[in-house]
């Protein structure tokens, strides 16, 4: 299990990195007597250094259509539903367009996101926009109802950016991500806030 959550604030985006769809390569070898065809499956890999534009354009990524949380600061502003859809917070600051828990440093809080299409996941990207560093666990809920942890550790995100966790392509389908936070780890005076969460995977 990957113990290090990759933050865009800590790495330089790779200048050329292509994330292709799951595909089959076909190699044909001609001999005097026969033609042999070999099929090789090429797995999709999450680019943990992808820049914002590449993340938004990732054809293997999807944004949540529904969200629930252990608590939320409001029923509209700072509500769990603010973590659905594409990112719309552009600066590291308290922002009503992101989800925030009811209390600033209560302790454990969870945010669960649902996506339109079940996929075999290869990773998750969390757009943290305030109180960064409080994320402690990422789980995927299989369509079988079982929660599978894919990351636990120290969140190194310290400013606006994507905490990115890659995983070997899952053997189960998922359309649900559950995030766990320890809000006491957020910087002094800051609420842990999440603007958007991208589930990356293939059908």
């Amino acid at each position: 299990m990957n113990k290090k959550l990759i933050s865009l604030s800590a790495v330089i985006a790779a200048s050329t990195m292509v994330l292709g769809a799951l595909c089959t390569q076909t190699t044909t070898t001609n001999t005097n007597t026969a033609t042999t065809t070999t099929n090789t499956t090429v797995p999709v890999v999450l680019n943990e250094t992808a820049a914002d534009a590449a993340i938004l354009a990732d054809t293997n990524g999807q944004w949540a259509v529904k969200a629930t949380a252990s608590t939320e600061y409001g029923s509209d502003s700072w509500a769990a539903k603010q973590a659905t859809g594409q990112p719309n917070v552009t600066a590291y600051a308290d922002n009503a367009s992101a989800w925030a828990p009811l209390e600033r440093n209560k302790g454990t809080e969870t945010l669960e996101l649902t996506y339109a299409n079940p996929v075999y996941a290869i990773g998750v990207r969390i757009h943290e926009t305030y109180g960064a560093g409080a994320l402690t666990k990422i789980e995927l809920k299989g369509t079988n109802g079982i929660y599978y942890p894919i990351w636990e550790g120290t969140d190194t995100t310290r400013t606006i950016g994507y905490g990115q966790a890659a995983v070997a392509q899952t053997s189960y389908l998922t359309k649900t991500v559950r995030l766990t936070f320890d809000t006491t780890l957020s910087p002094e005076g800051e609420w842990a806030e999440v603007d958007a969460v991208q589930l990356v995977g293939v059908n």
Side-chain angles (χ1 to χ4, degrees):
M1 184 179 296
N2 181 14
K3 294 295 183 182
K4 184 178 179 183
L5 188 69
I6 304 298
S7 169
L8 289 188
S9 63
V11 294
I12 300 174
S15 59
T16 55
M17 187 70 100
V18 178
L19 298 180
L22 187 65
C23 59
T24 300
Q25 279 188 337
T26 301
T27 302
T28 301
T29 303
N30 293 317
T31 66
N32 292 332
T33 59
T35 298
T36 304
T37 299
T38 303
N39 293 322
T40 305
T41 300
V42 181
V44 179
V45 178
L46 181 80
N47 180 1
E48 293 178 290
T49 62
D52 190 72
I55 290 172
L56 292 172
D58 191 343
T59 57
N60 293 314
Q62 57 180 319
W63 304 98
V65 295
K66 180 182 177 182
T68 58
S70 52
T71 67
E72 52 190 3
Y73 192 78
S75 58
D76 186 21
S77 297
W78 294 287
K81 66 181 180 181
Q82 296 294 345
T84 62
Q86 291 192 1
N88 61 351
V89 176
T90 58
Y92 187 80
D94 185 24
N95 193 305
S97 292
W99 164 77
L102 180 61
E103 297 181 43
R104 185 176 64 218
N105 60 355
K106 179 181 178 182
T108 302
E109 298 279 0
T110 58
L111 176 64
E112 187 163 305
L113 304 113
T114 304
Y115 300 80
N117 302 311
V119 294
Y120 296 101
I122 61 167
V124 175
R125 294 174 169 130
I126 302 102
H127 195 223
E128 300 179 66
T129 54
Y130 200 51
L135 184 67
T136 58
K137 188 176 184 179
I138 304 172
E139 296 168 281
L140 300 175
K141 181 182 179 182
T143 52
N144 57 8
I146 298 173
Y147 286 88
Y148 300 90
I150 64 165
W151 176 86
E152 291 184 73
T154 300
D155 180 2
T156 58
T157 309
R158 291 295 176 265
T159 185
I160 188 169
Y162 292 88
Q164 304 195 63
V167 64
Q169 185 174 309
T170 62
S171 60
Y172 54 87
L173 285 167
T174 179
K175 62 173 186 175
T176 307
V177 174
R178 182 166 68 183
L179 308 177
T180 301
F181 300 84
D182 178 356
T183 58
T184 65
L185 299 176
S186 291
E188 182 67 27
E190 296 181 10
W191 261 262
E193 296 186 9
V194 173
D195 174 36
V197 180
Q198 187 184 53
L199 172 62
V200 187
V202 294
N203 297 109

